[in-house]
Amino acid sequence: MVSSSSEASGSDQPASSTPPAASAPVSAVPGLWRRMACWLYEGMLLFAVVFVSGWLFSTLGQMRDAMDSRRHLLQAFLFVVFGVYFVWFWTKGQTLAMKTWNIRIVDMLGRPVSQRRALARYLLSWVWFLPPLAAIAPFKLSGGESTVLIFGWVAVWAVLARFHPDRQFWHDAWAGTRLITSKPMSRR
């Protein structure tokens, strides 16, 4: 039995009668579910970054408890650590989670992202969290209510990508970046 080209390649796209040159470009936009899975995996990896960075800051600053008056300095420190982490990896093309999910970041012309553009994307990506955090701040909401509000906003923000002409997240459009499907880059 002869299989079609899409079955042989493992693609879940139906086989078409068009020649390979006329098919979809290699730099296709990854699906929303794959991008969100990558996002969740990135969060798991960042747990280790937060743990080590927080431990280092707390140890060197001799913080005794979580309600220490310097906790805002810890939050600012973690904000900078996250920025360094993301800017570094995005200028290389992929974070560890992006390698796992075969996603790469490029500018609008398909070139590698500059440090300035990666920094802009990092700052703009906080739109995933700042609106619900700003809404929570003046109220004494429980942990469950805060969680529902944050995850509700994340779901709404993710679905809003469906309204972008290229199905990109809006912070990517504002920063002049794109997420594309790509195999992991070589380890040079």
Side-chain angles (χ1 to χ4, degrees):
M1 178 173 187
V2 178
S3 65
S4 70
S5 62
S6 68
E7 291 172 347
S9 67
S11 171
D12 53 7
Q13 300 292 330
S16 68
S17 59
T18 58
S23 62
V26 176
S27 62
V29 177
L32 180 61
W33 288 109
R34 197 158 110 220
R35 288 184 285 167
M36 293 309 293
C38 179
W39 184 79
L40 287 173
Y41 185 45
E42 194 77 66
M44 290 176 18
L45 295 174
L46 285 176
F47 180 78
V49 173
V50 168
F51 181 80
V52 171
S53 300
W55 172 79
L56 182 65
F57 185 90
S58 298
T59 301
L60 294 177
Q62 298 183 355
M63 292 178 69
R64 302 282 182 226
D65 58 52
M67 297 310 292
D68 190 295
S69 63
R70 295 169 289 176
R71 72 181 181 277
H72 298 298
L73 287 174
L74 172 62
Q75 292 169 346
F77 176 72
L78 290 174
F79 179 81
V80 171
V81 168
F82 286 164
V84 169
Y85 171 87
F86 283 115
V87 169
W88 171 265
F89 278 111
W90 288 340
T91 56
K92 304 295 181 198
Q94 294 173 309
T95 63
L96 299 173
M98 293 167 84
K99 286 182 181 185
T100 302
W101 289 94
N102 296 330
I103 296 173
R104 186 163 48 110
I105 184 170
V106 295
D107 69 6
M108 298 307 276
L109 300 174
R111 298 178 304 207
V113 177
S114 68
Q115 284 183 347
R116 181 176 294 211
R117 194 170 301 275
L119 180 60
R121 184 179 193 262
Y122 171 69
L123 295 174
L124 290 167
S125 69
W126 278 94
V127 77
W128 284 92
F129 296 106
L130 286 183
L133 291 176
I136 291 169
F139 305 107
K140 300 277 187 199
L141 298 180
S142 71
E145 294 168 333
S146 298
T147 301
V148 167
L149 187 62
I150 290 170
F151 281 111
W153 173 254
V154 165
V156 167
W157 189 251
V159 169
L160 285 175
R162 307 285 285 168
F163 298 105
H164 186 274
D166 294 330
R167 305 227 184 232
Q168 294 288 334
F169 291 129
W170 285 100
H171 68 276
D172 279 312
W174 298 332
T177 58
R178 298 179 56 223
L179 294 178
I180 61 171
T181 300
S182 170
K183 292 294 179 193
M185 300 172 72
S186 66
R187 293 175 174 88
R188 290 182 256 157

